[in-house]
Amino acid sequence: MIIGLTGSIASGKSTISELLKSKGFPIVDADKIAHLVVEPGSPVLKEIELFFGKEMIKTDGSLNREKLGERIFRNENDRNKLNSIIHPAIRAEMLAQKEKWLLAGANTVIMDIPLLFESKLQHFVEKIIVVSVTPEIQKQRLMSRNKLTAQDAAIRIQSQLPMDLKEKGADAIIYNNGTIEESEQQLNSILFNWNAQP
Ligand SMILES: CC(C)(COP(=O)(O)OP(=O)(O)OC[C@H]1O[C@@H](n2cnc3c(N)ncnc32)[C@H](O)[C@@H]1O)[C@@H](O)C(=O)NCCC(=O)NCCS
Ligand SMILES: Nc1ncnc2c1ncn2[C@@H]1O[C@H](COP(=O)(O)OP(=O)(O)OP(=O)(O)O)[C@@H](O)[C@H]1O
């Protein structure tokens, strides 16, 4: 079974993904792959430099994520441009990793895809878990994790589809407003209901 794990920014996908990993499930992580495809010297990084300018590259040749983030979260045209440069490479690597796990005999593969709905990737997966939080908790966690002002956190949240729309597209929802243990209990019952084994 291929399970898509999604949610909104700072809703707790990585936290749930870590729990799944500790239970032995193989994880294909789109955010990690997004780091991989922009390694120094990669063609994707060159394209980012050509469009967004030399100031997006640090002196050690790596991507200045903070600078690029400042630009793309507040500007839809820039965000669409970055997506058109980086997403094809991310998708190709996600599918390759999924195939690798299936060939290795995995029963269930987890695909952690933050933009599953925004990028219309529902066909990549068979079941969808949405990790949801209330807007207040989401903003608070995003501000403290990324050291952002309330305004910058709001801009990032608005760059994605609203949570209620994502919930409508879910096969199961984890409400991650309480403790991690409470979220793990919800996760366990979803895995049990779907008879999902690593
Ligand atoms: C703009 C970048 C450099 C900022 O880097 P930064 O280290 O600050 O953020 P990070 O990569 O950890 O992403 C954090 C979260 O931001 C959100 N996010 C990232 N990119 C986007 C985007 N293009 N549109 C909307 N939300 C996004 C996701 O919820 C993601 O989980 C980076 O997010 C990026 O390369 N984005 C484009 C790739 C992408 O779409 N990634 C999302 C998964 S496919
Ligand atoms: N149940 C919880 N209780 C307290 N803190 C939590 C809980 N779940 C997640 N967090 C914290 O909230 C922040 C966001 O969680 P996490 O990084 O898992 O979200 P994410 O959905 O993967 O974010 P992104 O979309 O930005 O990658 C992190 O600092 C994490 O430690």
Side-chain angles (χ1 to χ4, degrees), residues 187-196:
L187 174 66
N188 287 342
S189 73
I190 294 166
L191 296 174
F192 179 80
N193 288 340
W194 292 351
N195 193 22

Side-chain angles (χ1 to χ4, degrees), residues 66-83:
E66 214 170 302
K67 254 203 177 125
L68 186 58
E70 269 166 30
R71 212 163 131 182
I72 69 108
F73 286 113
R74 60 180 69 241
N75 182 314
E76 194 181 352
N77 288 336
D78 283 344
R79 189 161 62 248
N80 288 337
K81 181 63 192 179
L82 176 66
N83 290 347

Side-chain angles (χ1 to χ4, degrees), residues 109-172:
V109 179
I110 311 294
M111 298 185 81
D112 178 348
I113 314 179
L115 304 179
L116 187 138
F117 291 109
E118 287 84 350
S119 300
K120 302 189 171 58
L121 297 183
Q122 291 93 327
H123 63 284
F124 271 29
V125 302
E126 292 160 274
K127 294 271 191 195
I128 298 175
I129 299 177
V130 168
V131 185
S132 178
V133 278
T134 62
E136 297 74 27
I137 293 179
Q138 179 184 24
K139 201 169 176 187
Q140 225 32 67
R141 286 185 185 160
L142 180 55
M143 285 169 68
S144 80
R145 189 194 60 186
N146 288 41
K147 313 229 171 336
L148 295 177
T149 62
Q151 197 199 5
D152 282 338
I155 284 170
R156 286 184 188 221
I157 290 167
Q158 280 155 21
S159 76
Q160 301 189 344
L161 275 180
M163 193 74 91
D164 57 336
L165 281 184
K166 294 190 179 186
E167 287 185 5
K168 285 199 179 102
D171 295 296

